[in-house]
Structure formats: C-alpha cells, structure tokens
Amino acid sequence: MPRSTSPGRTPDAATSSESTDSTRQRIVAAAKEEFARHGIAGARVDRIAKHARTSKERVYAYFRSKEALYAHVAEHETTALVEATQLDPADLPGYAGILFDHFAARPDHYRLITWGRLELAGSADNTTSPLQATIAGKLDKLRDAQRIGLLDPAWDPVDVLALINQIAMTWAGQPEIAAAAADQAVDPSIAARRAALVTAVERMFPRPH
C-alpha cells in the first residue's frame, strides 16, 4: 500500500521534507551540546556537523553563521525555560523549587545561557527579546501581588525576582561546592538541596496566611 502524503505533496517531496527536518533537528541538538560544553567562541561548526551526521556546508545552509545558530538554540532553550517555570506570586518558594528542578534536569541549559551572557555582552539590553518580555511580565505579577497584600511592599520587585532566581540557580552555578562538600553534608542529595533553597526563599518571602 503506498504511503499517504499531505495533499499536494508527492511521496518524494514528503520524504525530502522529512529528511530536511530531521537534519535540521540533528544540527540543533548537536549545537546545543557543543555550545554548552565549549561556549560560542570555542564551539566548532565542523564538530557540530560531525555529531549531526551532516556537512559544514549543510549547517551553513540552515544557519548563516555560528552566532546565528547559537541565537536559535538559546531562544529555543529560553522558550522551554519560560514555559516550564511560570511564576505564582502567592507561592514564591514553589517558584524557586520549579526553577531548581528545571536546571537540575537540564544542566546544559544553565551552561548554554551563561556562555551567552559572557560572550554576547550587551545582548541583555534588548528590551524586545522574549526573555525580557517574560521578565517584565513577572515583575508586573509581583507588583500586583504587593498591591493586594500577597507580598511585602517594602521589597523592590526587581530585587525579589533577582534574589529568587539566584537562590534557585545556586547549585547549577556552583557544582564544585556540592562536590567538595559531599562527604560533609548531613544529606547531600538533590532533594535536600532543593528543600534548603525552598526554605530560604520561604523565610525571605513567606506565603500569605
């Protein structure tokens, strides 16, 4: 029985499109690993092409430059972060726990974004980027929470968001401390680390009663 295709597409055209999509997906996956490990300057397109089982020329056919490829990967990862970490101003400790869970499950995301911050100085000033729009939305939620009594109005919402983000990413950004203290901690498990940071945020920003 012949394989069905979308209206207006021949079997050969459908096969070609699927192959193109697969190649592009392999390139993006290989690039994410390469950028997370080596940064932007240290990443090599020939290694990305090798791991994606394609050619350098094919990589450049999809992405005009290494920087454009990084921008695509970073935007994809940031979108995943935004979708996975919605802020509930009535449960800031819970939000910190969600952030922790995301970076614990995807340490490559933290490294990838950190390389971009180091090597693309000034990129954070782009107020039209999806990430900046997300930050602005979270700040609006915190201000609304202050107006209705869910959050102490003495706090600057910018400080609240920055402190919670930093606490939640403590172990993602300092794995050497966890490794060095593994034999000294009462409970060195990931669950214990998560509980500690959630408790810290709860004491700073207690849930409303």
Side-chain angles (χ1 to χ4, degrees):
M1 179 182 294
R3 181 165 58 88
S4 62
T5 62
S6 300
R9 294 172 64 186
T10 66
D12 287 345
T15 300
S16 176
S17 176
E18 290 168 2
S19 176
T20 296
D21 291 343
S22 176
T23 300
R24 192 174 191 275
Q25 290 168 2
R26 292 199 309 272
I27 290 171
V28 171
K32 183 173 74 170
E33 182 178 343
E34 179 75 6
F35 287 129
R37 181 173 299 178
H38 301 287
I40 304 170
R44 290 175 51 181
V45 175
D46 57 343
R47 277 198 301 252
I48 293 172
K50 180 179 179 180
H51 292 155
R53 305 190 308 279
T54 189
S55 66
K56 286 177 63 176
E57 291 75 18
R58 196 66 173 165
V59 174
Y60 285 121
Y62 289 110
F63 303 96
R64 67 182 182 278
S65 66
K66 183 170 65 172
E67 291 72 21
L69 177 53
Y70 174 83
H72 174 84
V73 172
E75 182 176 357
H76 181 271
E77 287 298 290
T78 299
T79 298
L81 171 64
V82 169
E83 292 177 349
T85 58
Q86 299 296 316
L87 183 147
D88 178 0
D91 185 12
L92 296 180
Y95 170 66
I98 290 172
L99 278 175
F100 173 87
D101 292 340
H102 178 86
F103 288 110
R106 304 177 68 172
D108 56 328
H109 174 92
Y110 181 85
R111 294 193 299 270
L112 182 79
I113 299 303
T114 299
W115 279 115
R117 287 172 175 165
L118 291 172
E119 298 187 52
L120 301 177
S123 61
D125 296 334
N126 181 7
T127 57
T128 63
S129 73
L131 179 57
Q132 290 298 318
T134 298
I135 291 172
K138 289 181 178 180
L139 292 175
D140 286 342
K141 285 185 176 181
L142 292 173
R143 292 187 184 97
D144 289 341
Q146 288 177 319
R147 280 193 288 269
I148 62 176
L150 293 179
L151 179 64
D152 184 350
W155 284 98
D156 183 335
V158 175
D159 291 334
V160 174
L161 188 60
L163 287 168
I164 294 176
N165 286 350
Q166 194 62 43
I167 292 171
M169 293 186 286
T170 293
W171 298 112
Q174 301 182 90
E176 67 281 357
I177 294 181
D183 60 343
Q184 302 176 26
V186 175
D187 182 355
S189 68
I190 290 179
R193 300 301 184 204
R194 185 188 195 278
L197 70 87
V198 167
T199 297
V201 173
E202 188 167 30
R203 290 179 180 177
M204 292 180 70
F205 311 106
R207 293 181 178 92
H209 298 293

